[in-house]
Amino acid sequence: MKTIIISAALRLFFPLFIFFSFYILIRGHNHPGGGFIGGLILVIPFIFHVLIHGADETHDKLFLKRVYSLRRNEQESDMNYYLRNIGYRLRGLVPWYSRPDADKVLVKQFVIEPLHIIPVGLSLSLLAGLIPLFSGEAFLTGLWAKAQLPLIGKVGTTLLFDIGVYLLVAAVVLKITLVMSKE
Amino acid sequence: MLYTILAGLILAFAAPLLYRLLGRFISVPMVVLPAVLFAYFCTFISPVVAGQLVMQEYSWIPSLGINLQFMLDGLGLFFALLITSFGVLVMAYAGAYLKGDSHLGRFYLYLTLFMTAMLGVVLSSNILCLLVFWELTSISSYLLISYKHKYEVSRASALQALLITNGGGLCLMAGLILLGIAGDSFSFIELLQQRPDLLNHSFYLPIVLLIMLGAFTKSAQFPFHVWLPNAMAAPTPVSAYLHSATMVKAGVYLLARFSPMLGGTEVWNYTIMAVGATTAVVGAFLALQQLDLKAILAYTTISALGSLVTLIGIGSTFALEAMLVFLLAHALYKGALFMIAGTVDHATGTRDTTKLHLLGKRMPLLSAAAVLSALSMAGMIPFFGFLGKELLYEGAFEAPRFAVPLTAAIVFSGIAFVAVAVRLGYGIFFRKSANEATHIAHKPETFLWLPPLLLGIAGLVFGILPNITVAPILSAAAGAVAGSEVHLHLALWHGFNPILMLTILTIILGIVFYAFTNIFTTWPVHLERLYKIGPGELYYTLKNSLSIGSKGFIESVQSGSLRYYVAVIIMTFIVLVVGAIWQEELYRVVTPDTFIAALSDIELNEYILILLMVPATIFVCLTNSRLIAITTMSLVGYAIALSYIFFGAPDLAATQFLVETLTAVLFVLVLHKLPPFVPLVKYKTNAFYLSLSVLFGATMAYVLVMVRQFPLDSELKAYFGATSWLEAKGRNIVNVILVDYRAFDTMGEITVLAIAVIGIFSLLKLYPEKGDQL
């Protein structure tokens, strides 16, 4: 189902979905939203990606992070080379900018496995439960920091708990989607 | 004390990482931890001996009465010192014993985890907290026994130990919960004060029997002793630490701990005495017949545990003192002998006593350790074992009832001990024989002979100077068990009394038994038919029949058809609801008028929902296309989400919308892989399921109409509304319930989600090729 319109639209909407899901997660304590809904929204662009490009390409493009450097020119000074590389990396952050492939070298390769995010989310939630134990409260008692963060507002262990739920739900749905759409 | 436990847990789980960083020097931090803990507990000696009770409490689940309560009294301190001091020696020994093993980090993880769990057991004063640590010792023991997991023997032995000790653990859990209900508290101190009430409570008998089962399985009492000899499949440091010095004594600890609360009755005393004495005799009898070094030690350990349990059963203050002295003596010499057996195995490659000859001259320091420990085990003057044995005999001899059979049982076990001690300390090291001296592949390094030698020397020093070394802490421990103040005075010489005669008799008979070793070791062949009906075979019969039985049960219940499962659930539901309505005569509330009233309440926008849902539902049943069925089902789902909005639940509606969409998308992803839809089910079956669905719908509608007749007032709703913003700092009550009020539920739910996805993953990924790895 590779259509150029959805594929182009997804490029634009991808960061939007991610920010929106995070917004839903943060506002959850006072308005409709929260970790569960936020997590579900977070996976929407990924699922679109799978639908458009197929699971293998999604895996290669979104979960396989390759770090490239430029090929070094002959007799190039260190400074110049580093500066060129920094510019090259920065350009990589712009979603619609495709970099020339000819003169780059693979430096490192990371794989993000959704199955591994599940325990991370679970441990964050568990951690939110364990923190109050140190101040003598019962397991999973909500504790709140005195200071407020800009944009996010009050920070407490319940937010940490919700972030755990958010990550776990997103990873669970993502993993199911990836497994099911593979041949 | 929470921090000692935490330090243990953290270091345990860091062990594999440390092994990667430090290589063979990993034993350094692992030895340092128990050493530091030992020093820490030493600082408590003087206050505890002075009679002080050190308590600490952290709330954990206060609403259920489960708190992390720690208590350090004489008994707890005695065990904590025993655990940590043995921890130091065993950790050092293990580093040398398993040198170069690629899984050493994992081994230290299990071993430290065990040490921590054991400390938790002896420090807990909340009985449920105790149970958690108790189970953790079983699990770490399982992991340690199956350490050489490539061998089937190791795996089978580990499973046997786990099944037996955890079976006992389940009984213990039931017993402790009953105890908590009977005493209306889970705190040990509070329960202790309610002793008179508990003794007359109707739950007393089940409580006592269940707790005893837990203790007997853990301490390998007859007929549950079978797991202990098999557990010798574990590496020797484990046998020395868990299966002789500490873990198997957890059962003894438990009985000692509860004896001031529940003890002193006939059931308690006679049951424990009978089981303990039987175990002492059976263990001694079986120990004489073994050829393998570790098997000999395992059976004598069983026998010693039997003697300890017997002394608890006798229950007099003197017997309890004797129990603690003998416990320490036994831990000292048995731990050392296990390590010596391991070193011999390490050096020569065999543990068969018929193949080991004249090792003494070539391993002088090891043989010195062996001689010291063996002399202590045989109960020779002036070793600590002598004191232990004297008190043991005296305790049994002065028992208020059944003194003669008890003394006979314990003396028999003592004779076997002497015979075994001569075999271990003299037979394999010095005895001149026609056979050639056993070849020693490589000489033991320092940490393979030093820990047992230290233990042997400790046995000698404690024996000569008991009153300035161990007597104060032993008195404090005995005081905690007896429930009164105890001043223990240990002396080597008591004059010519019957006990001394018994000791001399024991030694003479023991040497005679030693002379007939060759005859005893042929007995297993002759007694084969007896052992066929013994508890060992019984275990395998039970285990096999359990797996056959459960297989049959699953095959009859689990058909594998989703439709069938749903039908069973719905039918059960209908039967229960209709039964409840019938019994409570709730059908009186519902009249035709109430139906009409309910119908007239429906508003226009709700009619639209009905118009969406009902035709869609009917259409789903009739269509032959999967794609259409899925989209129509989504329609129903969206209509439900809409209804949530109408009734003012935006969170629920948003979740429902998202989940509905995701379900449809996931279905579409797998749709093209499914074979074309063919209606296979017969007309009659369909009719049955249709009528079942209609019946279910009708029941639900009836229940809803009925519920409307009762006023809906919920205290919780008001409570949540009142406190959500003020206490939980959130305006969205639904979310606050999820992450704060009911966070524990959410925790459970997300855990289930995680497990479900692992299940889905393994089903889809691993099914095609069997033996595929995750």
Side-chain angles (χ1 to χ4, degrees):
Chain A
M1 205 167 64
K2 191 154 189 171
T3 69
I4 200 141
I5 299 174
I6 304 181
S7 148
L10 185 63
R11 282 190 154 224
L12 290 171
F13 280 112
F14 212 105
L16 206 65
F17 267 114
I18 291 174
F19 280 118
F20 184 65
S21 75
F22 201 68
Y23 167 68
I24 290 284
L25 161 74
I26 299 297
R27 84 198 282 266
H29 215 56
N30 291 321
H31 309 282
F36 199 87
I37 301 175
L40 290 177
I41 293 175
L42 178 64
V43 285
I44 291 174
F46 291 92
I47 292 176
F48 265 114
H49 205 280
V50 172
L51 286 178
I52 296 166
H53 301 286
D56 291 330
E57 206 180 325
T58 308
H59 182 261
D60 277 6
K61 278 202 166 158
L62 300 179
F63 298 111
L64 197 68
K65 195 66 200 163
R66 292 197 177 91
V67 181
Y68 292 102
S69 289
L70 289 167
R71 199 180 298 280
R72 195 166 181 157
N73 294 336
E74 275 177 43
Q75 294 182 339
E76 192 180 9
S77 73
D78 279 359
M79 180 66 100
N80 192 24
Y81 178 63
Y82 289 137
L83 281 178
R84 271 203 317 140
N85 256 333
I86 290 170
Y88 178 74
R89 297 251 164 84
L90 284 178
R91 264 173 285 161
L93 296 175
V94 184
W96 55 86
Y97 184 88
S98 70
R99 296 178 290 187
D101 283 358
D103 52 351
K104 64 185 182 184
V105 213
L106 184 66
V107 186
K108 231 173 188 178
Q109 183 168 320
F110 306 94
V111 183
I112 305 162
E113 170 59 56
L115 208 57
H116 296 172
I117 301 177
I118 295 174
V120 172
L122 202 57
S123 355
L124 281 183
S125 297
L126 190 68
L127 186 69
L130 291 177
I131 288 172
L133 284 185
F134 289 94
S135 56
E137 300 277 344
F139 184 63
L140 278 172
T141 311
L143 291 182
W144 295 88
K146 293 245 164 58
Q148 288 205 346
L149 286 185
L151 294 177
I152 295 176
K154 279 208 164 121
V155 183
T157 53
T158 52
L159 182 66
L160 187 63
F161 186 85
D162 228 10
I163 291 174
V165 175
Y166 171 80
L167 286 177
L168 185 135
V169 168
V172 163
V173 180
L174 198 57
K175 187 67 207 174
I176 295 176
T177 317
L178 285 176
V179 167
M180 284 206 166
S181 59
K182 263 189 192 155
E183 285 305 315
Chain B
M1 279 174 268
L2 178 68
Y3 293 102
T4 61
I5 307 277
L6 272 183
L9 285 178
I10 291 168
L11 194 67
F13 285 100
L17 195 70
L18 283 176
Y19 184 54
R20 229 179 274 169
L21 290 175
L22 300 177
R24 66 193 175 91
F25 294 106
I26 189 192
S27 33
V28 177
M30 292 315 186
V31 172
V32 167
L33 175 78
V36 169
L37 292 183
F38 181 71
Y40 172 74
F41 284 118
C42 279
T43 60
F44 285 104
I45 290 181
S46 54
V48 168
V49 168
Q52 201 180 326
L53 188 65
V54 187
M55 306 258 298
Q56 275 175 20
E57 186 170 339
Y58 304 88
S59 58
W60 184 12
I61 315 173
S63 46
L64 293 177
I66 303 171
N67 292 318
L68 290 170
Q69 291 169 318
F70 297 110
M71 163 178 90
L72 205 57
D73 62 349
L75 186 65
L77 183 62
F78 170 65
F79 268 91
L81 290 173
L82 190 70
I83 293 160
T84 45
S85 56
F86 266 81
V88 175
L89 298 176
V90 168
M91 297 278 175
Y93 180 81
Y97 187 83
L98 290 169
K99 195 169 155 189
D101 191 299
S102 56
H103 295 310
L104 189 59
R106 199 188 291 172
F107 182 77
Y108 272 122
L109 190 170
Y110 301 154
L111 206 59
T112 314
L113 186 67
F114 162 75
M115 187 183 79
T116 313
M118 195 66 205
L119 276 179
V121 168
V122 299
L123 295 179
S124 303
S125 78
N126 184 298
I127 53 176
L128 290 180
C129 184
L130 181 145
L131 182 78
V132 171
F133 289 117
W134 176 277
E135 293 291 322
L136 200 55
T137 59
S138 295
I139 291 167
S140 48
S141 156
Y142 167 75
L143 291 168
L144 283 166
I145 299 171
S146 62
Y147 178 69
K148 294 176 196 157
H149 55 89
K150 286 194 178 136
Y151 299 98
E152 200 183 339
V153 186
S154 297
R155 297 199 302 270
S157 312
L159 187 66
Q160 186 185 34
L162 185 75
L163 286 177
I164 294 181
T165 52
N166 263 27
L170 284 178
C171 295
L172 178 67
M173 180 170 83
L176 292 180
I177 290 174
L178 282 182
L179 179 63
I181 295 170
D184 198 27
S185 166
F186 288 111
S187 156
F188 185 80
I189 309 279
E190 284 173 27
L191 286 168
L192 199 57
Q193 287 157 356
Q194 300 185 21
R195 178 182 152 87
D197 294 338
L198 287 174
L199 291 188
N200 295 320
H201 201 277
S202 56
F203 283 166
Y204 177 74
L205 191 65
I207 290 172
V208 164
L209 292 181
L210 288 168
I211 289 180
M212 277 183 198
L213 269 178
F216 290 162
T217 48
K218 195 77 153 185
S219 278
Q221 298 297 300
F222 183 85
F224 306 111
H225 65 277
V226 283
W227 70 266
L228 187 59
N230 290 337
M232 295 302 138
T236 311
V238 179
S239 311
Y241 196 27
L242 274 72
H243 304 130
S244 77
T246 55
M247 188 186 88
V248 287
K249 299 210 167 95
V252 178
Y253 167 81
L254 190 79
L255 293 177
R257 186 47 102 197
F258 281 101
S259 93
M261 188 198 302
L262 301 168
T265 57
E266 291 190 345
V267 188
W268 175 273
N269 284 8
Y270 294 156
T271 318
I272 293 182
M273 260 196 270
V275 172
T278 317
T279 311
V281 174
V282 169
F285 177 71
L286 290 171
L288 289 172
Q289 305 168 12
Q290 303 302 317
L291 289 172
D292 183 296
L293 275 180
K294 279 176 85 174
I296 299 172
L297 290 170
Y299 281 108
T300 49
T301 306
I302 292 173
S303 177
L305 290 168
S307 309
L308 290 171
V309 168
T310 313
L311 287 174
I312 296 179
I314 293 169
S316 61
T317 311
F318 186 78
L320 293 174
E321 288 169 27
M323 188 274 287
L324 286 161
V325 175
F326 183 60
L327 193 150
L328 178 61
H330 175 257
L332 287 174
Y333 66 69
K334 195 55 71 66
L337 285 173
F338 262 115
M339 289 187 205
I340 290 159
T343 308
V344 167
D345 185 15
H346 200 262
T348 62
T350 179
R351 297 197 308 244
D352 189 341
T353 43
T354 54
K355 289 183 190 153
L356 293 166
H357 305 287
L358 288 171
L359 299 170
K361 275 184 190 162
R362 287 163 303 155
M363 294 195 276
L365 289 161
L366 187 73
S367 57
V371 170
L372 287 174
S373 314
L375 285 174
S376 188
M377 182 177 182
M380 293 302 251
I381 236 167
F383 288 88
F384 196 62
F386 172 77
L387 284 171
K389 186 153 289 185
E390 287 277 285
L391 286 173
L392 181 65
Y393 283 2
E394 209 169 331
F397 194 70
E398 290 177 1
R401 296 191 64 182
F402 306 116
V404 177
L406 288 180
T407 314
I410 284 186
V411 169
F412 176 69
S413 122
I415 293 168
F417 274 37
V418 175
V420 165
V422 179
R423 255 170 99 186
L424 295 177
Y426 171 75
I428 63 171
F429 284 100
F430 301 107
R431 190 169 71 99
K432 297 210 169 42
S433 76
N435 298 334
E436 260 180 60
T438 317
H439 174 68
I440 296 177
H442 40 93
K443 289 228 165 190
E445 51 185 291
T446 318
F447 283 111
L448 285 178
W449 57 258
L450 186 62
L453 190 62
L454 286 178
L455 285 174
I457 293 170
L460 183 61
V461 174
F462 290 173
I464 297 171
L465 304 165
N467 291 321
I468 60 167
T469 49
V470 288
I473 179 74
L474 283 171
S475 333
V481 183
S484 57
E485 217 162 287
V486 172
H487 287 290
L488 197 59
H489 187 79
L490 297 171
L492 285 173
W493 185 250
H494 288 284
F496 284 103
N497 53 12
I499 305 299
L500 191 69
M501 298 298 142
L502 275 178
T503 310
I504 294 167
L505 180 76
T506 309
I507 289 169
I508 294 168
L509 277 177
I511 291 166
V512 173
F513 272 41
Y514 168 70
F516 291 111
T517 303
N518 289 339
I519 297 173
F520 286 124
T521 50
T522 58
W523 278 10
V525 185
H526 301 306
L527 293 174
E528 203 179 348
R529 292 173 81 184
L530 178 68
Y531 295 160
K532 270 257 157 78
I533 54 164
E537 286 299 313
L538 189 68
Y539 163 78
Y540 287 109
T541 321
L542 275 177
K543 195 183 129 206
N544 290 337
S545 44
L546 185 70
S547 69
I548 292 167
S550 51
K551 199 169 168 238
F553 179 72
I554 287 169
E555 275 168 3
S556 64
V557 176
Q558 303 279 340
S559 67
S561 153
L562 188 63
R563 205 178 210 190
Y564 173 75
Y565 294 150
V566 175
V568 169
I569 292 169
I570 286 179
M571 281 193 283
T572 320
F573 179 81
I574 293 174
V575 168
L576 288 178
V577 167
V578 171
I581 292 175
W582 194 258
Q583 199 173 1
E584 303 285 324
E585 305 196 341
L586 288 170
Y587 50 86
R588 287 170 197 275
V589 212
V590 186
T591 56
D593 291 343
T594 53
F595 272 101
I596 294 162
L599 282 174
S600 64
D601 273 0
I602 303 175
E603 289 181 18
L604 183 64
N605 52 7
E606 291 160 15
Y607 274 114
I608 296 171
L609 284 184
I610 295 171
L611 273 178
L612 272 174
M613 274 156 117
V614 175
T617 320
I618 295 169
F619 193 65
V620 168
C621 303
L622 298 177
T623 180
N624 268 349
S625 154
R626 285 205 180 95
L627 192 63
I628 295 173
I630 289 156
T631 35
T632 334
M633 278 301 286
S634 307
L635 193 65
V636 178
Y638 288 137
I640 292 172
L642 271 180
S643 72
Y644 290 146
I645 292 183
F646 290 158
F647 292 109
D651 278 284
L652 215 53
T655 315
Q656 174 77 15
F657 270 123
L658 286 166
V659 168
E660 209 54 60
T661 317
L662 282 173
T663 318
V665 169
L666 287 179
F667 259 120
V668 170
L669 281 177
V670 290
L671 206 59
H672 64 279
K673 287 177 201 159
L674 297 173
F677 183 78
V678 187
L680 288 173
V681 189
K682 283 182 199 142
Y683 180 73
K684 268 186 184 172
T685 330
N686 267 338
F688 167 71
Y689 282 110
L690 186 67
S691 48
L692 190 66
S693 320
V694 171
L695 188 63
F696 181 57
T699 318
M700 284 309 290
Y702 188 84
V703 169
L704 280 177
V705 170
M706 198 177 69
V707 166
R708 278 169 55 93
Q709 303 307 311
F710 296 97
L712 195 72
D713 63 344
S714 154
E715 287 175 23
L716 274 180
K717 205 171 155 189
Y719 169 74
F720 288 148
T723 55
S724 170
W725 173 243
L726 294 176
E727 285 179 26
K729 303 198 186 349
R731 286 206 185 86
N732 179 3
I733 299 180
V734 177
N735 186 267
V736 174
I737 290 175
L738 281 177
V739 299
D740 205 330
Y741 293 120
R742 296 259 177 274
F744 205 70
D745 292 356
T746 314
M747 187 109 208
E749 279 153 22
I750 58 176
T751 315
V752 169
L753 258 184
I755 294 167
V757 79
I758 292 167
I760 292 172
F761 179 67
S762 43
L763 273 179
L764 286 175
K765 291 297 272 193
L766 310 178
Y767 186 65
E769 293 150 86
K770 278 189 178 168
D772 209 355
Q773 286 212 333
L774 195 78

